[in-house]
Amino acid sequence: MSSVVLATAGYDHTIRFWEATSGICYRTLQYQESQVNKLEITSDKTQIAAAGVGQIRIFDVNSNDTQPVNTYEGHTGNVSAIGFQKDTKWMFSGKLTAS
């Protein structure tokens, strides 16, 4: 596998991992409850967070397991922002709000 990996997601309810140099998709994860609004990878490149409607799921980048390692629920709308602190000790998130 290539050392450069690209991750994509969107309104089709899937997260895909691609070998960037060849363009081959080598792994697909389902995010069945909603579209994926945002992806964010940890600084050590071991986990990826996927934000959807009302929840965030964390997946292991290097595993073949299709289940998330953790799920965070509680937002009342579309989670549109996620990120990790540099040492991955905490994660932040935000959502769209109406004015």
Side-chain angles (χ1 to χ4, degrees):
M1 179 173 48
S2 169
S3 63
V4 179
V5 174
L6 175 68
T8 62
Y11 281 93
D12 64 352
H13 298 244
T14 60
I15 301 165
R16 291 185 174 87
F17 293 89
W18 306 81
E19 291 182 9
T21 55
S22 69
I24 296 172
C25 178
Y26 68 89
R27 183 176 175 205
T28 301
L29 301 172
Q30 295 299 313
Y31 198 107
Q32 296 179 0
E33 287 74 26
S34 78
Q35 76 276 0
V36 179
N37 298 320
K38 174 86 166 93
L39 292 175
E40 185 73 26
I41 194 162
T42 58
S43 61
D44 62 5
K45 298 177 176 59
T46 61
Q47 296 184 325
I48 193 166
V53 177
Q55 66 182 350
I56 299 167
R57 291 188 173 169
I58 309 293
F59 295 93
D60 186 339
V61 171
N62 300 311
S63 171
N64 288 326
D65 191 356
T66 60
Q67 297 302 309
V69 295
N70 215 334
T71 299
Y72 299 94
E73 297 178 343
H75 281 284
T76 57
N78 275 326
V79 181
S80 57
I82 51 176
F84 292 97
Q85 176 262 350
K86 183 179 177 183
D87 296 330
T88 316
K89 292 184 180 178
W90 50 266
M91 177 180 67
F92 58 88
S93 64
K95 72 177 190 102
L96 296 173
T97 58
S99 307

